[in-house]
Amino acid sequence: ADGRPVQSLQGRSESWKIAVSSDEKFLAIASDRGVQICNISAGAALQDLESKLSSASTLSFHPELSMLAYGTRQHGKFVEIRNLDESETFAQIGHSYGVDIVSFSPDGSVLATYSGGELFFWLLWGPITLDFSHRFVSQAKQIAFSRDWRFIATVESNAIGVWELESGFSDSHRNLHLRKLKEL
C-alpha cells in the first residue's frame, strides 16, 4: 500500500528468471547456479533447491499444485519437475539441446518445453510421454497459453505467432495438433 518492499532477497550473481506460485506461497529464481526457492508466505530466506542442474535457464510453476518445472541450456540439457511440498523430483525429461522455455498450460495438464528450435508438449498425468513436436524456424523467446489452452502465442526474434492447439484422442492416446493462425 505504501510502495515499500515487503521483503528483500539476495539472488545469485547471474539470475535469469523468476516466478511466483499461483497460491503466492513460493518464489523461485533460475540462475547460473541452479534454482533458489523461498517460501515467501512464511518470510523464509532463499534456499538452494537440491537438483542435478548446475544452472537453470527457465522455470514455471504448476497453476494449481506446488510443482515447479525448470530446465537448463547448459550441463545436462533436461527439465526437472519437482513437487515442492514433498521435496522430491516428480519427473525428468531429457532434451538433445539446451532448454530455453518451460511453461505449464493453465489447467496444469500439459507442460510445453522449447529446445533446439522445437516445441514439445508433455502430458503430466500418467507416464510422461511426448505427444507432439513442431519445428520453429526462428528462436522462440516466450510461450503463452490462452486460459482454455486452445491457443498459444510464441514470441520469436521478429514476430509473434498465434497458434491453435487442437486436441483429440485415438485409442487411449491424446493427440495434439498445432496450426498457425496468424503472424504479427
Side-chain angles (χ1 to χ4, degrees), residues 33-184:
R33 294 190 184 157
V35 175
Q36 289 182 293
I37 194 150
C38 172
N39 185 333
I40 52 180
S41 65
L46 281 169
Q47 301 288 322
D48 288 324
L49 197 60
E50 292 299 320
S51 169
K52 292 181 180 178
L53 299 182
S54 58
S55 69
S57 56
T58 182
L59 46 80
S60 176
F61 277 101
H62 189 281
E64 297 173 4
L65 304 174
S66 291
M67 277 187 170
L68 179 67
Y70 44 94
T72 185
R73 283 189 287 250
Q74 307 165 349
H75 316 298
K77 300 173 183 134
F78 62 93
V79 172
E80 280 187 353
I81 304 172
R82 177 70 64 93
N83 183 331
L84 298 175
D85 288 338
E86 299 171 12
S87 191
E88 65 182 24
T89 299
F90 175 74
Q92 290 182 349
I93 305 168
H95 285 72
S96 299
Y97 301 96
V99 180
D100 295 308
I101 300 169
V102 296
S103 182
F104 281 103
S105 64
D107 68 355
S109 66
V110 174
L111 177 70
T113 63
Y114 183 82
S115 171
E118 291 184 292
L119 178 62
F120 299 97
F121 294 94
W122 308 86
L123 291 177
L124 286 185
W125 309 120
I128 303 261
T129 57
L130 175 65
D131 272 341
F132 177 79
S133 67
H134 183 79
R135 181 97 182 146
F136 284 101
V137 174
S138 63
Q139 184 73 15
K141 309 281 187 214
Q142 187 173 354
I143 298 167
F145 284 89
S146 64
R147 266 183 206 255
D148 59 5
W149 77 278
R150 288 183 40 231
F151 303 97
I152 63 168
T154 56
V155 178
E156 300 179 39
S157 297
N158 58 356
I160 296 173
V162 180
W163 305 80
E164 182 176 28
L165 267 174
E166 296 171 343
S167 177
F169 289 89
S170 65
D171 300 326
S172 62
H173 187 69
R174 187 175 194 174
N175 296 316
L176 298 174
H177 301 284
L178 198 62
R179 182 171 61 95
K180 193 164 196 174
L181 297 177
K182 185 179 272 195
E183 187 169 301
L184 308 171

